[in-house]
Amino acid sequence: MAKIPPGVGPRFPQVVVLFGATGDLAKRKLLPGLYHLATAGFIPQCRVIGVSLDDIDLAGFRQIARRALDQFSTRKVTDADWDAFAHNLDYVPLAAGAPALAAAVAAAEASLGDETRRLHYLSVPPSAALSAVRMLGEAGLVERARIVMEKPFGTDLASAVQLNRQLHEVFSEDQIFRIDHFLGKEPAQNILAFRFANGLFEPIWNRNFIDHVQIDVPETLGLGQRSAFYEQTGAYRDMVVTHLFQILAFMAMEPPTALEPQPISEEKNKVFRSMLPVQPADVVRGQYGGYRQEPGVDPESETETFIAMKCFIDNWRWAGVPFFLRTGKKMAEGQRIISIAFREPPKSMFPPGSGVGAQGPDHLTFDLADASKMSLSFYGKRPGPGMRLDKLSLQFAMHDTGLIGDVLEAYERLILDAMRGDHTLFTTAEGIERLWQVSTPLLENPPPVRLYSPGGWGPKSIHQLVAPHAWRLPFERAWRDPNASGG
């Protein structure tokens, strides 16, 4: 087993109280993630107490956890590691109440020694979050604790302010970790390294050299069992406020005074404070054909399953540069890209028909999938007589480095950060309230939804939104396969 670098994991043993422990997210991500962190040595010692509505005993919870690992773990599960992990599991049905939870945590802490810390993970719907917070308060589990909240954080400005106020009645802001798993991905953090560590790109990261930016996260998946939840939420609340705007802040922020949580959070919040309110005229809302027939959906629903929008950051660095955001369900491809289009040269000396300008501006593209990739496109001369230009590209993939096995999954990274008290990749109360504030014009006066066919790229009006530019997806050139011959 690889040696874990110092400072990566928490200093103290951890008691994790996992609300929603039998739910979909816990099975797919949280239990496999905790298993890996514990067995790989990232956490010195760890006890996990599951809490859910299910009236099961400890043996039943262990059975659910083992099935989840077998089905969803991306790493091999050995019997020895499983036995050690299972030994550190406990379970409290929600109906048993705060006294039973307090007793389970006390027993877990007694087994770990004096210096323990608590991590409460609320993998529950927003409607259940505050009751879980109150239960933790009643159980006396606020001290030495950090609490992880899942999105969405409210549904508008008023609900976000109220949610934060009620949270702060039990937990202080520095104890609260509002999770965005997009920022937990290695490529999202690579944007910081790429921007601020490279003399080639740092000087040109502004309106003088960048023409426009696209953040594009289409999904091929439908709603599964989430249609009733989604009907109350929609693509904007589900994806833009909690994910795409957070990525935008990483891409657009000023250099922080230090690569530490507070300076980074402050620079992200400055971006949010500089954002202009989102105008309904700059938004296309879509709904895939057949959505209204989904279970739990109003047959006359106006909930959007797709959104494309243009927004602006009104500060010195980005004044006048449009940021185009797009996301939706049941689309042609599942991608997560940031594409930065550079300004074209002011004058072309190349003859007509040379091809220059025919394939758009040069782009720097980040693929935010778990295995990081990036590409820089540019014009180059085609071999042979005459002056014919083609679009070429330099590409990098994390697979090229041999370090792909060191990549932590997003939830694993964020759980570790929360245990260590590192807020870098989490959202603050101020930030989330400001985003709901700039969203108010859109939420109060949303444009009508337009139908699009499942398996497409959204309503046709998205092309007017981005004109005179073009959407980068679908790509005109596929990512190169590094394993292909000659690749």
Side-chain angles (χ1 to χ4, degrees):
M1 188 182 297
K3 191 175 187 318
I4 308 302
V8 169
R11 290 169 49 211
F12 302 107
Q14 302 284 321
V15 175
V16 179
V17 178
L18 177 56
F19 283 83
T22 59
D24 188 58
L25 177 63
K27 290 175 185 172
R28 289 177 176 275
K29 296 293 184 184
L30 304 179
L31 288 167
L34 287 164
Y35 168 83
H36 174 240
L37 293 175
T39 55
F42 284 97
I43 311 170
Q45 287 177 282
C46 181
R47 300 294 297 266
V48 179
I49 302 169
V51 181
S52 84
L53 288 166
D54 291 351
D55 186 16
I56 55 175
D57 60 10
L58 176 54
F61 179 53
R62 284 176 173 160
Q63 194 174 26
I64 288 170
R66 178 62 201 243
R67 279 203 300 264
L69 294 183
D70 289 340
Q71 189 172 357
F72 297 114
S73 177
T74 56
R75 303 170 179 91
K76 184 173 172 55
V77 179
T78 68
D79 288 340
D81 282 344
W82 162 251
D83 288 343
F85 184 68
H87 176 72
N88 289 319
L89 294 179
D90 199 356
Y91 184 78
V92 176
L94 201 60
L101 181 57
V105 172
E109 291 181 340
S111 72
L112 294 175
D114 297 333
E115 283 284 358
T116 58
R117 297 291 183 269
R118 301 159 178 166
L119 183 76
H120 307 311
Y121 198 117
L122 272 52
S123 177
V124 295
S127 57
L130 283 173
S131 61
V133 168
R134 283 191 285 269
M135 184 175 175
L136 290 167
E138 288 170 27
L141 299 177
V142 176
E143 285 183 25
R144 295 180 283 111
R146 295 174 176 126
I147 182 166
V148 180
M149 307 281 298
E150 277 287 337
K151 69 177 178 77
F153 318 110
T155 55
D156 56 18
L157 178 58
S159 61
V161 169
Q162 183 182 17
L163 174 63
N164 283 326
R165 189 179 68 245
Q166 291 175 298
L167 271 175
H168 292 153
E169 288 173 3
V170 183
F171 290 93
S172 61
E173 178 64 18
D174 66 350
Q175 291 179 287
I176 301 168
F177 292 76
R178 298 168 188 82
I179 199 165
D180 171 17
H181 70 272
F182 273 46
L183 291 189
K185 292 178 177 296
E186 204 72 44
Q189 297 155 60
N190 217 352
I191 294 168
L192 292 182
F194 198 85
R195 281 192 61 186
F196 299 129
N198 292 298
L200 178 61
F201 291 102
E202 188 279 326
I204 62 172
W205 212 268
N206 58 57
R207 61 188 168 81
N208 296 324
F209 297 93
I210 292 176
D211 183 73
H212 67 277
V213 177
Q214 293 181 30
I215 301 174
D216 209 350
V217 186
E219 298 180 294
T220 56
L221 298 173
L223 301 176
Q225 305 299 311
R226 299 175 71 230
S227 50
F229 160 77
Y230 202 84
E231 174 67 0
Q232 306 302 317
T233 310
Y236 185 80
R237 290 178 170 94
D238 186 47
M239 289 290 291
V240 177
V241 175
T242 46
H243 292 323
L244 273 64
F245 280 162
Q246 305 300 327
I247 294 171
L248 182 152
F250 258 39
M251 189 269 151
M253 63 192 261
E254 294 298 312
T257 54
L259 209 60
E260 293 169 1
Q262 192 161 352
I264 290 175
S265 289
E266 177 56 23
E267 295 305 334
K268 282 175 60 188
N269 286 341
K270 283 183 189 174
V271 173
F272 300 147
R273 290 198 290 269
S274 301
M275 285 178 68
L276 293 176
V278 178
Q279 300 303 317
D282 291 334
V283 176
V284 174
R285 296 167 71 236
Q287 188 185 89
Y288 65 76
Y291 171 75
R292 292 175 181 175
Q293 284 73 55
E294 301 270 14
V297 172
D298 182 341
E300 297 182 358
S301 173
E302 288 291 303
T303 298
E304 79 281 356
T305 61
F306 168 96
I307 195 150
M309 59 187 291
K310 174 168 59 175
C311 59
F312 293 92
I313 300 169
D314 191 25
N315 65 12
W316 192 269
R317 184 181 291 266
W318 297 113
V321 176
F323 287 75
F324 297 100
L325 280 53
R326 176 172 65 169
T327 185
K329 301 288 185 186
K330 290 202 174 183
M331 296 182 68
E333 294 177 22
Q335 293 271 7
R336 292 169 180 165
I337 70 151
I338 301 176
S339 192
I340 295 154
F342 293 103
R343 293 193 182 280
E344 298 197 57
K347 177 171 171 54
S348 174
M349 66 189 77
F350 295 93
S354 64
V356 71
Q359 295 183 58
D362 300 337
H363 283 88
L364 176 64
T365 303
F366 294 89
D367 185 330
L368 299 185
D370 286 318
S372 177
K373 290 186 286 195
M374 62 184 71
S375 167
L376 179 63
S377 68
F378 55 92
Y379 283 102
K381 182 184 176 300
R382 185 184 298 179
M387 183 58 77
R388 291 282 297 154
L389 276 70
D390 286 329
K391 212 54 182 287
L392 309 172
S393 68
L394 297 170
Q395 293 188 7
F396 162 80
M398 187 60 71
H399 284 281
D400 298 341
T401 65
L403 298 175
I404 193 69
D406 293 348
V407 173
L408 283 177
E409 290 194 0
Y411 279 100
E412 296 172 352
R413 166 68 193 262
L414 292 168
I415 287 169
L416 271 188
D417 282 357
M419 287 176 172
R420 292 168 49 233
D422 185 337
H423 277 89
T424 305
L425 304 176
F426 296 86
T427 309
T428 65
E430 179 196 335
I432 205 70
E433 288 177 15
R434 171 59 184 165
L435 290 175
W436 286 121
Q437 188 181 9
V438 301
S439 303
T440 299
L442 173 64
L443 298 177
E444 290 182 346
N445 187 27
V449 292
R450 302 169 185 269
L451 287 179
Y452 64 97
S453 301
W457 287 100
K460 290 185 172 56
S461 47
I462 61 169
H463 301 296
Q464 284 92 50
L465 177 72
V466 79
H469 316 297
W471 291 101
R472 285 280 283 152
L473 289 176
F475 284 130
E476 69 275 12
R477 292 177 307 283
W479 290 98
R480 285 197 290 272
D481 178 1
N483 299 315
S485 57

